Amino acid sequence: MIEQLKTFQDNQLAIEVIDGFSETDEQLCQKWFQKKLDEGFEQVNVLVKLDELKLSHSSVKAFMEDSIWALRHYKQLGHLAIVAHSKIIKALVPIDNLFFQRASKGRLERYFDVSQLDEAFAFINN
């Protein structure tokens, strides 16, 4: 299940994945992102909080579709803040960041521990 952590008037989107991530959740994320684009923003800065995610309750198909969608829309994706409490996710973020640096200068992905949530919000506020 997903929910918005906060709503913003500008180009920021902050979501939290709770328990699992389904195809319905993936479609809702796309809808929220598209709404920001429809409001006239060229890029959307996204914060994703994953500390309550349980992979065993998540759909592999939803993750794959979300990844493909993100690759197709990477030019519209600004800063990406991943908030979690996971050594695995923390290790994967620099790999993703290499791709984003090459694909589009000035766009970054950063990992934040749950205790750094305020810093993550500041990062997507740039």
Side-chain angles (χ1 to χ4, degrees):
M1 179 176 102
I2 63 167
E3 63 181 33
Q4 284 189 322
L5 287 172
K6 275 186 183 180
T7 56
F8 299 94
Q9 298 298 319
D10 53 9
N11 71 331
Q12 299 170 52
L13 179 61
I15 63 171
E16 179 175 19
V17 181
I18 302 166
D19 198 35
F21 186 73
S22 69
E23 292 174 51
T24 302
D25 296 329
E26 188 258 337
Q27 291 170 359
L28 187 55
C29 285
Q30 289 180 20
K31 180 181 171 184
W32 289 334
F33 193 92
Q34 187 60 48
K35 183 178 179 209
K36 293 292 184 181
L37 296 176
D38 292 345
E39 290 172 0
F41 299 107
E42 292 181 19
Q43 292 181 340
V44 180
N45 294 332
V46 181
L47 181 152
V48 182
K49 188 171 181 256
L50 299 171
D51 66 309
E52 295 186 35
L53 172 66
K54 295 181 180 128
L55 289 176
S56 62
H57 296 168
S58 298
S59 164
V60 173
K61 183 178 179 185
F63 275 118
M64 294 303 294
E65 287 177 0
D66 190 57
S67 297
I68 291 168
W69 184 89
L71 288 173
R72 288 184 180 149
H73 294 88
Y74 74 85
K75 289 183 180 181
Q76 297 159 326
L77 181 61
H79 289 328
L80 178 59
I82 305 297
V83 180
H85 192 69
S86 167
K87 291 180 182 179
I88 295 170
I89 293 172
K90 185 176 182 177
L92 292 175
V93 166
I95 296 167
D96 284 349
N97 203 31
L98 287 174
F99 171 76
F100 281 111
Q101 283 181 333
R102 279 180 292 181
S104 195
K105 190 175 181 178
R107 296 180 186 147
L108 297 173
E109 178 177 356
R110 284 190 49 199
Y111 173 87
F112 296 88
D113 187 78
V114 176
S115 65
Q116 300 172 305
L117 186 59
D118 289 338
E119 292 175 44
F121 276 115
F123 175 70
I124 67 165
N125 193 26
N126 290 338

